[in-house]
Amino acid sequence: EDQVTQSPEALRLQEGESSSLNCSYTVSGLRGLFWYRQDPGKGPEFLFTLYSAGEEKEKERLKATLTKKESFLHITAPKPEDSATYLCAVPLGQKVTFGTGTKLQVIP
Amino acid sequence: KAGVTQTPRYLIKTRGQQVTLSCSPISGHRSVSWYQQTPGQGLQFLFEYFSETQRNKGNFPGRFSGRQFSNSRSEMNVSTLELGDSALYLCASSPGQFNDEQYFGPGTRLTVT
């Protein structure tokens, strides 16, 4: 069964403490993987699209990477303003399926 | 470009009533998708429209319906509201293909009492 799973569910980091969020998927014929950031009470904000294994995308302190089975969102030297829920999503069939997200809290 | 807009932003309804939510996509975007977000279930796909046609539908009862107009604006309707329908309803637009990135609106917070 096609699935999208994110881990951990929650992550608490000290400011400046780098870490990675994981998104694993079981999809045959991946047609793209998306990362979004969502702040409380707001709609998700598009961050990256990755299409093929080995691809990397960067934006400020965030870097997304993709393998054949999973994607990582690396956060380097995070700041409190990076606190949010990070969602990954994959087209499955003819709709986009979202993972349940990782809630990141960065402590000053 | 202006982003995706949704109206109203907040809504309080009583069980049994019906509600209509509106979404205006980014100019030039032809695909509009709707999602329900709750703390327990995360983002759940409701349906997607492209050029006034529903292309896909999620696993929701028939009380949930939608439509898209010729200008790509979309509405969704929920009839006979239940307490469990309380959620954040999000609209997202994309250029057209189902594997394009989506751009979300701020959502409509629906509370059913």
Side-chain angles (χ1 to χ4, degrees):
Chain A
E1 181 184 347
D2 293 336
Q3 280 191 332
V4 181
T5 305
Q6 289 189 249
S7 61
E9 288 187 12
L11 183 61
R12 192 173 179 182
L13 300 173
Q14 291 291 325
E15 184 173 0
E17 179 186 2
S18 302
S19 188
S20 297
L21 314 182
N22 177 266
C23 172
S24 63
Y25 57 90
T26 54
V27 176
S28 55
L30 185 71
R31 289 165 296 197
L33 184 143
F34 310 108
W35 281 99
Y36 293 85
R37 167 195 170 125
Q38 186 174 25
D39 292 299
K42 296 185 178 181
E45 175 191 350
F46 170 72
L47 292 173
F48 306 110
T49 305
L50 301 167
Y51 287 109
S52 56
E55 189 175 0
E56 298 183 353
K57 294 269 180 78
E58 285 190 67
K59 180 179 181 179
E60 296 180 358
R61 295 176 292 283
L62 300 176
K63 182 169 82 172
T65 62
L66 183 65
T67 72
K68 289 186 178 180
K69 293 183 179 180
E70 57 194 347
S71 177
F72 293 94
L73 186 64
H74 307 278
I75 302 177
T76 302
K79 297 181 178 182
E81 53 262 42
D82 295 322
S83 298
T85 295
Y86 291 86
L87 300 161
C88 70
V90 175
L92 293 176
Q94 294 196 357
K95 64 180 183 181
V96 177
T97 297
F98 283 78
T100 51
T102 294
K103 186 174 182 179
L104 173 66
Q105 184 182 16
V106 182
I107 310 298
Chain B
K1 275 186 180 180
V4 177
T5 58
Q6 292 187 246
T7 56
R9 293 292 314 280
Y10 303 93
L11 208 49
I12 299 175
K13 289 286 188 178
T14 304
R15 268 187 309 174
Q17 289 186 314
Q18 74 166 21
V19 66
T20 299
L21 312 181
S22 181
C23 171
S24 292
I26 291 172
S27 177
H29 285 191
R30 299 168 66 188
S31 169
V32 173
S33 298
W34 288 89
Y35 294 86
Q36 181 195 67
Q37 188 173 36
T38 58
Q41 297 295 318
L43 266 167
Q44 299 292 310
F45 172 76
L46 280 158
F47 27 65
E48 186 248 353
Y49 288 88
F50 179 83
S51 293
E52 303 179 67
T53 300
Q54 186 182 91
R55 290 198 296 195
N56 300 294
K57 183 171 168 57
N59 296 324
F60 279 82
R63 301 184 296 107
F64 292 82
S65 63
R67 59 178 175 169
Q68 186 181 34
F69 302 97
S70 58
N71 61 359
S72 293
R73 192 177 68 84
S74 178
E75 289 181 347
M76 67 163 282
N77 184 275
V78 188
S79 62
T80 319
L81 284 166
E82 301 177 358
L83 294 178
D85 297 333
S86 295
L88 181 67
Y89 289 88
L90 292 159
C91 165
S93 75
S94 63
Q97 299 303 312
F98 65 89
N99 58 340
D100 286 337
E101 66 271 17
Q102 295 178 317
Y103 296 88
F104 284 82
T108 294
R109 172 72 63 185
L110 172 65
T111 302
V112 182
T113 62

